[in-house]
Amino acid sequence: MEVKVFHLPLLLTRPMRKMRKPAASSPQPKNFLVIRSFLLLLLSCIAAKLSLCFSNIPSSLLTLSLDGHLNFDEVQHVAKDFGNQYQLLPSAVLHPKTVMDIAITIKHIWQMGPHSELTVAARGHGHSLQGQAQAYRGVVVNMKCLQSPIMQVHGGKFPYVDVSGGELWINILRESMKYGLAPKSWTDYLHLTVGGTLSNAGISGQAFRHGPQISNVHQLEVITGKGEVVKCSANQNEDLFHSVLGGLGQFGIITQARISLEPAPDKVKWIRMLYSDFNTFTRDQEHLISSENTFDYIEGFVIINRTGLLNNWRSSFSPQDPLQASQFESDGRTLFCLEVAKYFNLGQTDTIIEEVERLLSPLNYIPSTLFLSEVSYINFLDRVHVSEVKLRSKGLWEVPHPWLNLLIPRSKIHRFAEEVFGNILTDTSNGPILIYPVNKSKWDNRTSVVIPEEDIFYLVAFLSSAVPSSTGTDGLDHILYQNKRILNFCESAHLGVKKYLPHYTRQEDWKAHFGPRWEALVRRKSAYDPLRILAPGQRIFQKAVPFS
Ligand code: FAD
């Protein structure tokens, strides 16, 4: 509706511009001229009034000369995300063909000054949880349309790939594997964009060794909140480079990234084993992430009050000892599953079994619960997509996802587990709970991401799905209530927990989140996006409201 109203003055002015001058010889009735002038005056008054009423609506955007296009009508699809809880309707969606399309649009909005309410949100694949890639009455940039640069893999001693900020990680994997290469650090799910995960961190089971995805980027091209296109790296415009990494989209739109690659293995030994004792479980996880010679991927998850567990795994995993495994009863106990993977090439099939046995030998899992699987590297990395396809076919993918991701210092993980897995949660039927440690030494403290202070910290991810309109324990309200209880406990017990993929609605909460780094964040924001145009959905800064 807003868009249609705003088109009105333009529709009225265009025919007027085209109107031919009357021939000098033809007599003009005086009262016709008076009526015409009156009508023109009236129409321009209406137009001016509408402009004032809807000053947030970007009429001047229509004048921009772009290779791609702005769409003012089909905007609903970008007013939702994976979280399925927030819907903020923008005024326009930019479908850029070139980097300059984005730069021109942002520069234009920058030049409109602080009195325009217009903001800009880059949207990767829309997998945010709470509207982070949305822009109420602003412009959403559909980053997946940006097809430049064409993905280019470079080999040599230090291989890398140049990609567009809107590229999906699954496409980067497919392309780099043609050259026998692959990125080093991943997320569990690959249908996410480079710009989206680099704005957060990008954490998965390889992060203990390689650090998060933001630790594996050589160079970026960024468009700042002033519409400037800037190349940056650890050696060139380094402050912008580090600001943008983990920067929640606050300092610039990533249009290009140079990602570090390594040789891609052919296959993966994928292994799961159970523990009933949390101390033993975390001791083994920490042993593995601290060892030089270890698995290539280390994660884990929690199982509370589930039965028939081992049967569920049989489809893809085989027990090492089928007889003993068949006798194992989970009995609704709280169990902790260690999940590891070892990569190998086809020429190593003889030695890999011995290698895996050697790595498993110091671990103290329940012996009957060792399960193994062997898959191709691409199938291992793209494993969550298999679940996505299944859930979509049952209509269970596009439901509310009240996820909660926490980074917990190692010294507090036992206190956390005792209360959360022992008291607050009574089962894990709403979705998986991941838990695994990472090494802080692999994170660069010059980036914007906020992490706990200790050398080892845990990612604990409550990946719940809510049943739409349920008022029971599988409904949104109940899951949000449980999340709140977990957060309240973390706060009251002073665990030093930091939220990953953070979401706050009040600036004082953001200040607490950034802690001593708040000042640096504000300085960076005022340097690269002084009008606070970018990523309004994060709700850290508000356009036209002074910094505090
Ligand atoms: P969006 O959600 O579209 O955007 C995220 C934020 O980044 C927004 O603020 C947006 O404005 C900004 N942004 C987007 N593109 C750019 C750009 N080019 N330049 C600057 N800012 C930009 N994360 C992990 O770390 N590890 C995981 O294992 C993991 N698994 C996941 C599994 C699933 C099924 C899902 C849905 C998400 C998972 N995530 C994981 C979270 C993921 O990292 C975030 O959802 C992230 O937002 C990426 O999604 P996206 O590419 O769709 O970005």
Side-chain angles (χ1 to χ4, degrees), residues 81-82 120-129 131-134 143 165-166 168 186-189 191-197 199-204 213 244 248-250 252-255 299 384 397 403 405 434 436 459 463 500-501 535 537-538:
D81 55 32
F82 182 75
V120 178
R123 176 183 163 94
H125 206 25
H127 280 75
S128 285
L129 298 166
Q132 286 91 337
Q134 299 181 32
M143 292 302 295
L168 292 178
W186 293 99
T187 46
D188 292 343
Y189 174 64
H191 299 248
L192 304 169
T193 63
V194 167
T197 69
S199 297
N200 286 296
I203 316 172
S204 185
Q213 290 179 323
V244 167
L248 306 174
Q250 293 304 304
I253 293 188
I254 300 168
T255 45
E299 285 201 7
V384 175
W397 184 256
W403 286 11
N405 290 273
L434 308 185
Y436 56 91
L459 172 72
L463 308 179
Y500 178 56
L501 311 175
Q538 298 281 4

Side-chain angles (χ1 to χ4, degrees), residues 474-500:
D474 53 3
L476 183 61
D477 287 346
H478 177 78
I479 300 170
L480 289 174
Y481 168 70
Q482 270 186 332
N483 289 350
K484 188 88 193 111
R485 280 185 69 195
I486 294 169
L487 289 170
N488 287 346
F489 162 69
C490 292
E491 203 176 316
S492 61
H494 305 291
L495 299 189
V497 166
K498 293 293 175 189
K499 267 194 202 173
Y500 178 56

Side-chain angles (χ1 to χ4, degrees), residues 203-221:
I203 316 172
S204 185
Q206 303 83 4
F208 77 93
R209 172 177 288 155
H210 296 293
Q213 290 179 323
I214 53 171
S215 296
N216 293 277
V217 184
H218 295 314
Q219 186 184 297
L220 296 171
E221 180 187 78

Side-chain angles (χ1 to χ4, degrees), residues 344-401:
F344 67 103
N345 290 324
L346 290 175
Q348 298 168 297
T349 29
D350 295 341
T351 53
I352 190 67
I353 296 173
E354 277 169 36
E355 172 75 352
V356 166
E357 276 173 4
R358 196 184 57 72
L359 295 174
L360 289 174
S361 63
L363 306 182
N364 295 297
Y365 53 89
I366 304 168
S368 58
T369 66
L370 181 66
F371 283 72
L372 299 110
S373 174
E374 190 176 302
V375 288
S376 69
Y377 184 55
I378 194 160
N379 284 352
F380 172 70
L381 290 178
D382 202 23
R383 60 199 177 275
V384 175
H385 185 57
V386 177
S387 308
E388 175 185 357
V389 171
K390 276 189 203 154
L391 290 169
R392 273 192 193 281
S393 71
K394 295 179 193 162
L396 296 175
W397 184 256
E398 293 194 5
V399 296
H401 292 106

